[in-house]
Amino acid sequence: MRAWVLLSAVLWYLTGVGWQRNSERTEKGFIYGNPGHPVKLYVKLHHNSPILVCMDLKRAEKETVDPTYLWVGPNEKPLTGNNKINITKTGKLMVKDFLEPLSGLYTCTLSYKTVKAETQEEKVVKQRYDFMIFVNPFAPGWKGKCNESVDCQDNTNHNILQARNRIEEFFRSQAYIFNHDFNKTLPAMHFVDHSFQIVRIDSCRPGFGKNEGLHSNCATCCVVCGPETFSPDVDVTCQTCVSIQIYGAKSCP
């Protein structure tokens, strides 16, 4: 996440200078697996994951006889439906209100039957699909800024741009007042158009970092630090700590 920072406007006085996959996504937003290739996904903190389909797109276009689905979570235990995990009878999975500990490898095994036309012999085929899910959080301080907004990141950036425009207008109006309404004994003030700027400063909340090599399809994202890494502050890099076995660590024991 890149945080916006306001820079001071340039005011001129007479005396001088003053103060940015390996899967198939359908129009419905379903994410299909890719045999032999883990699918990487990035879910915003406290948002629902996309719907993961225990099947690849080519298989979905064919008739599948007696399919069964087995989902296994990051703790390597079979997943069952609960208040966080929603699994449908057709093998679709969605994780609700995504948090750091929910990050990791989600695996689904699809089992189905094939029948030889000549002999009517049945054979059970199994195919595994891997989905790596990571958290991509809002900017630091989002709770206090957004007031339960649907998309805090966009709203925060929009608000800062509005603040820039209003501050710029304030300086412009003050320059006008100084030049027209006050007596001439006060120093003149001139606002230089386009001198008020904003810049982006990279930062990630503790427990998150950026890694272009590991997350090349989300290089500018603040992604939850994985096992054996941690981030104690608002830096953009997850540091190494081999004793850590969880996601989102903020310190090295």
Side-chain angles (χ1 to χ4, degrees):
M1 172 63 198
R2 291 190 167 190
W4 292 97
V5 176
L6 296 174
L7 292 183
S8 298
V10 178
L11 294 177
W12 287 87
Y13 295 88
L14 288 180
T15 56
V17 180
W19 297 247
Q20 170 225 83
R21 285 191 174 62
N22 293 323
S23 68
E24 297 287 349
R25 180 188 290 268
T26 68
E27 293 180 357
K28 295 182 179 180
F30 295 165
I31 303 295
Y32 284 82
N34 190 0
H37 299 279
V39 175
K40 289 185 178 181
L41 303 166
Y42 301 87
V43 181
K44 281 189 175 182
L45 198 62
H46 297 291
H47 279 54
N48 297 339
S49 76
I51 297 174
L52 310 183
V53 183
C54 185
M55 195 174 288
D56 57 89
L57 197 54
K58 289 183 178 180
R59 166 49 51 189
E61 295 172 346
K62 300 177 182 179
E63 181 181 5
T64 304
V65 180
D66 295 341
T68 60
Y69 314 92
L70 176 63
W71 281 98
V72 175
N75 59 1
E76 298 183 356
K77 295 181 180 180
L79 293 173
T80 57
N82 54 44
N83 62 332
K84 285 284 188 181
I85 304 294
N86 183 23
I87 303 177
T88 70
K89 294 180 179 180
T90 56
K92 297 180 180 66
L93 177 142
M94 181 178 71
V95 184
K96 303 176 183 178
D97 189 24
F98 209 89
L99 299 174
E100 295 98 318
L102 297 173
S103 301
L105 177 63
Y106 289 75
T107 297
C108 184
T109 301
L110 166 66
S111 301
Y112 61 94
K113 293 179 181 180
T114 60
V115 182
K116 288 187 177 181
E118 301 84 0
T119 63
Q120 295 298 303
E121 179 184 356
E122 293 185 352
K123 179 182 178 180
V124 176
V125 178
K126 294 187 177 183
Q127 179 63 59
R128 169 174 167 162
Y129 302 97
D130 292 338
F131 300 86
M132 284 296 302
I133 307 183
F134 302 95
V135 174
N136 173 25
F138 292 139
W142 66 272
K143 287 185 178 180
K145 299 295 182 183
C146 293
N147 297 323
E148 301 181 356
S149 169
V150 175
D151 197 328
C152 175
Q153 178 177 328
D154 291 343
N155 284 351
T156 299
N157 289 338
H158 175 73
N159 291 340
I160 290 179
L161 291 175
Q162 278 193 325
R164 179 201 63 181
N165 294 337
R166 291 177 181 177
I167 295 173
E168 185 177 81
E169 180 57 32
F170 169 79
F171 285 127
R172 186 179 287 109
S173 64
Q174 291 300 303
Y176 179 87
I177 293 173
F178 269 91
N179 292 329
H180 294 82
D181 295 347
F182 287 170
N183 61 61
K184 298 304 181 180
T185 61
L186 291 175
M189 183 173 71
H190 305 279
F191 175 75
V192 180
D193 284 335
H194 310 298
S195 64
F196 191 76
Q197 303 176 36
I198 58 175
V199 296
R200 294 171 180 257
I201 295 181
D202 276 340
S203 65
C204 296
R205 64 190 297 174
F208 294 79
K210 299 182 181 182
N211 188 324
E212 186 174 356
L214 181 61
H215 307 294
S216 58
N217 54 339
C218 198
T220 62
C221 301
C222 288
V223 180
V224 64
C225 296
E228 300 187 1
T229 64
F230 74 106
S231 178
D233 48 34
V234 293
D235 198 0
V236 295
T237 304
C238 296
Q239 305 174 32
T240 300
C241 181
V242 295
S243 62
I244 295 175
Q245 301 299 320
I246 63 172
Y247 283 86
K250 302 176 180 64
S251 62
C252 182

